[in-house]
Amino acid sequence: MTQHDTATKLLDAAEKLFAAQGFAETTLRTITKQAGVNLAAVNYHFGSKEALIQAVFQRYLDPFSEALTRQLNQLGEHEEKVALEWLLGVLVALAVGNSSKEQQKALLFFRLAGLAYTQSQDHLRSFIQERYAPLFKRFLTLLCNALPEVPATELFLRSHFALGSVIFTLQGFGSMQQISEQDFGQPLGLTQVIERLLPFVVAGFRAPYAAS
Amino acid sequence: MTQHDTATKLLDAAEKLFAAQGFAETTLRTITKQAGVNLAAVNYHFGSKEALIQAVFQRYLDPFSEALTRQLNQLGEHEEKVALEWLLGVLVALAVGNSSKEQQKALLFFRLAGLAYTQSQDHLRSFIQERYAPLFKRFLTLLCNALPEVPATELFLRSHFALGSVIFTLQGFGSMQQISEQDFGQPLGLTQVIERLLPFVVAGFRAPYAAS
DNA sequence: AGAGGTTTCAAACGTACGTTTAAAACAAAG
DNA sequence: CTTTGTTTTAAACGTACGTTTGAAACCTCT
């Protein structure tokens, strides 16, 4: 079932450790130890640590990007009259999944995404930018269809605001969970947070637009 | 006017370099070189690199926290009937300032704040948590007063969503500015982005609350 | 001017990193 | 079994890091 070749073991170990500690803070020695392989394996299979980082992201983003493209393609001629809730719902469904195993994977990815934004991995940022920008633009066009009363430049900004809410919230999900539990005695699951996140973002997108 | 003792020079250089490259990626050698002081100065004046990082944040957050506390104190008995817009306006005014020099400083700080959230600087996170959590709680109470129809647990979450939008947007402000300019030909100033950010966040806070 | 405390300095220390190497182990094909 | 190409291994390499050191330079008093 699960491949257990060295490269896969390395990716598994690396994504976990990167998410927990950051890129610069995670050493190849820790990764290879956790993966149970030799130290030299990273350089043999990927070439360098940078290449390993990119490979970790690619393993997440390529399937996601393909699935989203497929969903958007199958809209056909309904592209013009798609609703905001449908668009965001598709994103959530693809990114978060259903099973608790998928959700755990999703949390890991959000953590990684947050890191990618903040840690100064320029190679990674340009890698992602080049590879997935077209899809983002297409999504933005659909957003414009869904909210014709808001200009495109404003929607561009608001999509960044929304992305910020999501990534920021979910990447620090663990610690927020703790605080929430000790302050309000309320256990918070990922599904619950997303259920709260969606109305917030939807309301933000639908905010009345006032030109300045 | 401006102090030019070694410690200040170090803080100035460090905050710039940290913001540009992250904590782990910035070496004491780079910092001391940029500050024009000896390599040993950091350990002499601050004790360690970790302590320097904390000092950078403290220099930002202490004045901000005091100013905010002062503003809230002077509310007196009007605390009960304060408006959401007023609360957020105070935050913006204190955090961003008026002059372009203040705004540049503010952008630097937002970048640092983003780093603090994502880079695994546990010492820094607990330092901030302990030092400024009470003020955050107080602010949350005022939020509850301003939005009595939304339960406290929900407002706790929504304040995190909002914080995410703000920090995420402003910490990557530079690169977003570039994309926006080349895609829409529209130059974006910090003030303009904040003018757009506020309605988004306000709408999010005011989103109709539906219990699950 | 000189004593005492503080700050700076060049140099070095020990450690940990990413990467390389060359030999060993392994796998597949003749 | 031998050969050929691939993968794994232990060890080492070179570099860069944070930190420490002890002497020099600089103050600030009397």
Side-chain angles (χ1 to χ4, degrees):
Chain A
M1 190 96 286
T2 49
Q3 280 196 358
H4 273 283
D5 52 298
T6 304
T8 306
K9 279 195 267 183
L10 279 173
L11 286 173
D12 289 340
E15 77 179 14
K16 243 173 239 171
L17 290 168
F18 284 151
Q21 318 182 354
F23 303 117
E25 294 84 353
T26 305
T27 72
L28 294 189
R29 284 172 172 80
T30 317
I31 295 173
T32 49
K33 197 172 189 178
Q34 163 116 352
V37 304
N38 187 269
L39 167 61
V42 169
N43 287 278
Y44 178 76
H45 285 280
F46 295 94
S48 68
K49 188 183 179 183
E50 280 202 355
L52 174 64
I53 296 177
Q54 290 184 195
V56 166
F57 273 83
Q58 195 166 345
R59 192 168 66 146
Y60 265 106
L61 287 180
D62 273 358
F64 173 80
S65 149
E66 280 166 26
L68 179 56
T69 304
R70 223 175 300 124
Q71 288 265 16
L72 297 187
N73 280 342
Q74 117 188 359
L75 269 177
E77 300 150 19
H78 302 77
E79 281 206 18
E80 306 274 333
K81 39 185 171 176
V82 77
L84 175 63
E85 278 83 357
W86 185 87
L87 280 172
L88 299 183
V90 167
L91 276 192
V92 168
L94 288 181
V96 175
N98 307 313
S99 71
S100 77
K101 202 150 220 166
E102 279 177 310
Q103 296 198 354
Q104 223 163 345
K105 281 262 169 198
L107 270 181
L108 232 122
F109 170 69
F110 280 118
R111 174 89 183 116
L112 288 173
L115 285 175
Y117 256 86
T118 52
Q119 307 227 169
S120 73
Q121 302 282 342
D122 285 344
H123 68 98
L124 182 57
R125 216 178 316 200
S126 54
F127 169 76
I128 292 180
Q129 174 84 9
E130 284 178 22
R131 211 164 159 70
Y132 307 104
L135 181 56
F136 175 68
K137 271 196 185 173
R138 181 169 177 200
F139 192 83
L140 197 58
T141 309
L142 293 180
L143 266 184
C144 288
N145 290 344
L147 297 168
E149 71 276 14
V150 187
T153 61
E154 178 77 12
L155 283 179
F156 169 79
L157 283 181
R158 289 188 182 178
S159 64
H160 273 82
F161 302 158
L163 195 63
S165 307
V166 175
I167 288 188
F168 185 88
T169 303
L170 296 182
Q171 73 132 7
F173 185 61
S175 46
M176 203 189 59
Q177 222 169 1
Q178 281 179 2
I179 299 176
S180 159
E181 194 143 359
Q182 75 185 38
D183 282 13
F184 300 105
Q186 206 181 49
L188 270 178
L190 174 59
T191 323
Q192 278 130 22
V193 172
I194 290 183
E195 263 172 21
R196 301 281 195 270
L197 204 36
L198 265 179
F200 182 89
V201 167
V202 166
F205 269 119
R206 290 239 169 84
Y209 175 73
S212 61
Chain B
M1 190 95 285
T2 48
Q3 280 195 356
H4 274 284
D5 52 297
T6 304
T8 307
K9 279 194 266 183
L10 279 173
L11 287 172
D12 289 340
E15 77 179 13
K16 243 172 239 172
L17 290 167
F18 284 151
Q21 318 181 354
F23 303 118
E25 294 84 352
T26 305
T27 73
L28 294 189
R29 284 172 172 81
T30 317
I31 295 174
T32 50
K33 197 172 188 180
Q34 163 117 354
V37 304
N38 188 268
L39 167 61
V42 169
N43 288 278
Y44 177 77
H45 285 280
F46 296 94
S48 68
K49 188 184 179 182
E50 281 202 355
L52 174 64
I53 296 177
Q54 290 184 195
V56 166
F57 273 83
Q58 196 166 343
R59 192 168 65 144
Y60 266 105
L61 287 179
D62 273 357
F64 174 80
S65 149
E66 281 165 25
L68 179 56
T69 304
R70 222 175 300 125
Q71 289 264 17
L72 298 188
N73 281 342
Q74 119 188 353
L75 268 176
E77 300 150 18
H78 302 77
E79 282 207 17
E80 306 274 334
K81 39 185 172 173
V82 78
L84 175 63
E85 279 83 357
W86 185 87
L87 280 173
L88 298 182
V90 167
L91 277 192
V92 169
L94 289 181
V96 175
N98 306 314
S99 71
S100 78
K101 204 151 220 164
E102 281 176 309
Q103 297 198 353
Q104 224 163 345
K105 282 262 169 196
L107 271 182
L108 233 121
F109 169 70
F110 280 117
R111 174 89 183 116
L112 288 173
L115 286 176
Y117 255 88
T118 52
Q119 307 229 168
S120 71
Q121 302 282 340
D122 285 345
H123 69 99
L124 181 57
R125 212 172 326 192
S126 54
F127 168 77
I128 292 180
Q129 174 84 10
E130 284 177 22
R131 210 162 159 72
Y132 307 104
L135 180 56
F136 176 68
K137 272 197 186 171
R138 180 167 178 203
F139 192 83
L140 198 59
T141 309
L142 292 179
L143 265 184
C144 289
N145 289 345
L147 296 168
E149 70 276 14
V150 186
T153 60
E154 178 77 13
L155 284 179
F156 168 79
L157 282 181
R158 289 188 182 179
S159 64
H160 274 82
F161 302 159
L163 195 64
S165 308
V166 175
I167 288 187
F168 185 88
T169 303
L170 297 182
Q171 73 131 6
F173 186 62
S175 47
M176 203 190 58
Q177 222 170 1
Q178 282 179 2
I179 300 176
S180 159
E181 195 142 0
Q182 74 184 40
D183 283 12
F184 301 105
Q186 206 180 50
L188 271 178
L190 174 58
T191 322
Q192 279 129 21
V193 172
I194 290 182
E195 264 173 19
R196 301 282 195 269
L197 206 34
L198 264 179
F200 181 89
V201 167
V202 166
F205 269 119
R206 291 238 170 84
Y209 175 74
S212 62

